[in-house]
Amino acid sequence: MNIARLKSEPEIFYSLQGEGPRTGTPAVFLRLAGCNLHCSWCDTRYSWLSGCELSAAGVADRVLSYDCSSLVITGGEPLLQAADIEQLLALLPADMHVEIETNGTLPPTPALAERVNQWNVSPKLAHSGNSAEQAICPSALAAFVATGRAWFKFVVSSEEDWPAIAALNLPQQRIILMPCAATRADLTAARPAVAELCLQHRVRLGDRLHVVLWDDEKGK
Ligand code: SF4
């Protein structure tokens, strides 16, 4: 598996889930390298590069060393390495809670659709700098909806983002809007406008607990 490299080490660490419906849950994080999008505000650009090669068994050993029953696989875009993830999950306890963070451009493989407990799908809007053709794949989004275990997190920067979200016809109760902010100061400033947007459209507000706690520190 190709793991993002942070401070010369493969980025596998223990922290609290910072986003989505399981915010605050202790989890092991595995950040895979490589992404098929290039968001202008990406806060993990280093993950676009090739990182450290580790076998699935080597990754499983590191994940299990934390003695934690929850795993969050993020990126980059993890589903670029779907076959490797399948191998890894086969080596982990069947009752380990597994979340995958994805940009929603690649559909889950049948094996992952079956095994993964929660999909945190984050389609990218126009302000990310990606074209809609690159960033939005309706058939992949439909495949995530079909799992019944997907949440759709949108980074929003203004009211103007809402029509593009509504046009996707996703289950309203599974939509989460999050401020576009990578620092504590930016998050504090952006949060009230996004809260208003959530009230107006009756969808959930998503915070960024890791930013609240650790600002823009990486590997947390
Ligand atoms: S999809 Fe995620 S990892 Fe990829 S460029 Fe966008 S924000 Fe960064």
Side-chain angles (χ1 to χ4, degrees):
M1 306 184 80
N2 198 237
I3 319 296
R5 186 191 303 267
L6 185 64
K7 297 177 186 159
S8 306
E9 289 294 319
E11 196 171 347
I12 303 171
F13 60 99
Y14 175 64
S15 189
L16 301 175
Q17 173 57 292
E19 300 177 1
R22 279 171 58 89
T23 293
T25 306
V28 180
F29 288 75
L30 165 62
R31 188 182 302 284
L32 300 186
C35 191
N36 56 350
L37 296 182
H38 290 89
C39 303
S40 58
W41 37 256
C42 180
D43 57 1
T44 53
R45 284 174 177 247
Y46 60 92
S47 72
W48 299 355
L49 306 171
S50 186
C52 310
E53 280 293 340
L54 286 180
S55 66
V59 175
D61 284 347
R62 289 185 184 230
V63 169
L64 293 170
S65 72
Y66 291 98
D67 190 24
C68 179
S69 60
S70 185
L71 172 67
V72 179
I73 303 176
T74 186
E77 174 43 58
L79 290 180
L80 291 171
Q81 301 185 57
D84 294 310
I85 296 173
E86 288 180 14
Q87 275 188 42
L88 169 65
L89 296 184
L91 299 170
L92 297 176
D95 61 353
M96 177 173 259
H97 188 278
V98 177
E99 295 177 53
I100 293 186
E101 310 266 349
T102 172
N103 61 30
T105 56
L106 302 169
T109 62
L112 291 181
E114 178 81 20
R115 169 66 182 90
V116 171
N117 301 88
Q118 184 177 307
W119 296 94
N120 302 322
V121 184
S122 183
K124 300 300 184 272
L125 303 174
H127 61 76
S128 70
N130 299 289
S131 68
E133 290 72 27
Q134 291 171 309
I136 303 296
C137 178
S139 61
L141 295 178
F144 286 111
V145 172
T147 67
R149 296 194 295 275
W151 293 81
F152 298 88
K153 299 188 300 182
F154 291 90
V155 173
V156 294
S157 59
S158 74
E159 165 71 35
E160 287 163 21
D161 291 326
W162 180 257
I165 298 170
L168 297 176
N169 286 317
L170 297 166
Q172 187 181 14
Q173 72 279 11
R174 291 294 179 126
I175 294 176
I176 298 174
L177 304 188
M178 294 196 314
C180 186
T183 66
R184 194 182 289 142
D186 287 350
L187 183 63
T188 301
R191 192 189 282 121
V194 179
E196 287 301 323
L197 207 52
C198 290
L199 286 167
Q200 191 179 339
H201 298 290
R202 292 168 173 71
V203 295
R204 282 172 75 147
L205 172 66
D207 213 347
R208 301 188 129 169
L209 181 64
H210 53 300
V211 175
V212 173
L213 290 171
W214 297 298
D215 207 357
D216 56 356
E217 194 173 340
K218 302 299 178 216
K220 287 281 195 182

